[in-house]
Amino acid sequence: MTINGRDVTAEIDERTLLLDFIRDVGGFTGTHNGCLEARCGCCSVEVDGDIVKSCNVLAVQAAGRSVTTVEGLAPQRVAPMEHITTQSLAGMYRPLDALGAQNEDLHPLQAAFHKCHALQCGFCTPGMLMVLKDYLEDNPDPTREDVRGAIAGNLCRCTGYQHIVDAAMEAAEQMREPAAADG
């Protein structure tokens, strides 16, 4: 299969989950294992443009297909990191700076999550981003209730969802702007 534009091939047990193939064989660890029951959405990825919960799909079912994970949303421009300590971070919390990334390098959803503080622990974030990306591409002008419906299959134990909805609305606006300029 192709994961984030890179061909990934391996001989595997036919019972290997797509989630495990992505993480263990492909090395893309942004996709998280939350429940292994397709209930939480942490493992959501795109397979040929459709969102699936990768803990509920066998890797062999994705053979020959194109898979996009959260790492595929924006180009990776991560700089080598220095050892970070509590003292070195005192008075400075700029995670993008620490990674050597710029806001403009991010997918509009990633930038909106950053701007709107739409994550706390970050465990659900990859699945939320993938589901919302797919949803907003098909529904560029959602209501807040529409967004809540779109993420109904994704659990977040930290945020209360308010900032996630705010971020989705912000991203929807940003994603519409280029389309309006082209129109």
Side-chain angles (χ1 to χ4, degrees):
M1 73 184 71
T2 301
I3 305 176
N4 300 327
R6 188 180 91 202
D7 289 335
V8 180
T9 304
E11 288 200 26
I12 57 170
D13 184 289
E14 67 268 5
R15 297 170 293 181
T16 302
L17 296 173
L18 178 57
L19 169 64
D20 295 328
F21 188 87
I22 289 167
R23 291 179 59 81
D24 299 338
V25 178
F28 295 98
T29 57
T31 303
H32 292 158
N33 173 359
C35 69
L36 286 178
E37 295 180 351
R39 293 176 185 243
C40 73
C42 289
C43 67
S44 297
V45 298
E46 274 186 3
V47 177
D48 288 342
D50 294 321
I51 292 294
V52 301
K53 292 181 179 175
S54 62
C55 74
N56 203 30
V57 175
L58 296 173
V60 295
Q61 291 175 289
R65 300 175 81 184
S66 177
V67 176
T68 304
T69 70
V70 68
E71 291 97 336
L73 290 184
Q76 296 295 309
R77 296 187 181 154
V78 179
M81 290 183 66
E82 295 179 27
H83 182 67
I84 296 175
T85 65
T86 304
Q87 290 77 23
S88 69
L89 289 175
M92 176 201 95
Y93 181 68
R94 296 186 307 265
L96 292 180
D97 290 348
L99 294 173
Q102 301 296 319
N103 229 18
E104 53 273 3
D105 294 335
L106 301 176
H107 185 280
L109 265 167
Q110 291 170 309
F113 265 60
H114 182 257
K115 177 182 176 185
C116 297
H117 309 287
L119 61 108
Q120 285 182 28
C121 81
F123 199 78
C124 71
T125 304
M128 288 284 186
L129 289 168
M130 296 307 296
V131 165
L132 285 167
K133 173 195 168 287
D134 183 67
Y135 179 76
L136 293 177
E137 286 173 349
D138 292 339
N139 303 283
D141 197 16
T143 65
R144 296 180 75 76
E145 283 306 307
D146 293 339
V147 170
R148 288 185 185 283
I151 61 173
N154 290 66
L155 299 179
C156 176
R157 292 170 176 92
C158 301
T159 68
Y161 301 94
Q162 185 64 36
H163 294 299
I164 293 171
V165 174
D166 293 344
M169 298 303 289
E170 170 84 17
E173 183 178 333
Q174 296 301 314
M175 291 168 71
R176 279 193 309 269
E177 285 181 12
D182 294 341

